[in-house]
Amino acid sequence: MCTCATYGLGEPPDIRYVLFPTPEALYASCLPLAGPIPESTGTIPRLVRLKMQGNHLTGSMPESMGGLKALEWIRIFDNELEGSFPDSYKNVNGRMTQLAIGGNKFEGTLYNFANVRAQNANLTYLPNMCGMIPVGIQFANGYDLGGSPGLGLPCPEEVAGGWPLPSSA
């Protein structure tokens, strides 16, 4: 559950200032946003911070975002995003400080984030993900795999003859 600032009684703030307080940031947390993250998000060349947690976002991550060389924050936890991270994410900024993707329906691995040296990581409640965790993420502050039983273990297709995933007790 997302904890968001309340604005008290009266009108909410002008949405233009919530979404675009600076040209480098997209802040849209805990709003009633639904639907996919637009592919055009990856065409904002100076985007440094993507903060869209606690909404009702669906669909997969835009392929175009893998080319954002300035991106330092991906904070999209507590949505309904799914699919795997496209190969283009191998090109994301290695100095990414925030990787918060927990509480979604993602599948696959985190291998496309192998060059990331995160300072903070939220990988909780990703039951459909598997595979080893890149070293630069393992040592991040807040590193927690609760609710992500397959992360840190080889994916079944990685081990000849299959790999028995831990059964839920």
Side-chain angles (χ1 to χ4, degrees):
M1 181 55 101
C2 187
T3 304
C4 296
T6 57
Y7 297 100
L9 299 174
E11 293 295 313
D14 186 322
I15 195 69
R16 291 172 296 178
Y17 299 109
V18 173
L19 294 177
F20 299 104
T22 67
E24 295 86 21
L26 178 72
Y27 293 143
S29 299
C30 302
L31 298 172
L33 297 179
I37 297 173
E39 186 70 34
S40 60
T41 305
T43 64
I44 307 170
R46 293 179 26 200
L47 185 63
V48 175
R49 294 184 270 325
L50 177 69
K51 192 173 178 185
M52 300 181 81
Q53 70 261 18
N55 286 297
H56 302 283
L57 300 174
T58 57
S60 57
M61 292 300 291
E63 174 104 23
S64 62
M65 285 183 52
L68 293 175
K69 301 295 185 193
L71 192 62
E72 293 181 5
W73 286 17
I74 296 179
R75 295 180 56 88
I76 53 172
F77 60 91
D78 293 338
N79 279 290
E80 299 167 30
L81 295 163
E82 58 191 16
S84 58
F85 287 91
D87 285 342
S88 64
Y89 283 67
K90 292 177 183 174
N91 301 318
V92 297
N93 186 351
R95 296 176 290 123
M96 182 177 293
T97 58
Q98 304 270 328
L99 181 61
I101 61 172
N104 281 292
K105 300 174 184 176
F106 290 123
E107 302 171 353
T109 70
L110 295 172
Y111 299 156
N112 289 338
F113 293 102
N115 70 328
V116 169
R117 303 294 176 256
Q119 293 176 2
N120 208 318
N122 172 344
L123 305 175
T124 58
Y125 303 105
L126 296 166
N128 300 322
M129 292 194 82
C130 60
M132 306 311 284
I133 313 290
V135 173
I137 296 173
Q138 288 179 18
F139 296 103
N141 183 34
Y143 172 75
D144 183 358
L145 297 178
S148 302
L151 282 176
L153 298 172
C155 294
E157 61 274 9
E158 294 177 312
V159 179
W163 180 265
L165 295 175
S167 61
S168 58

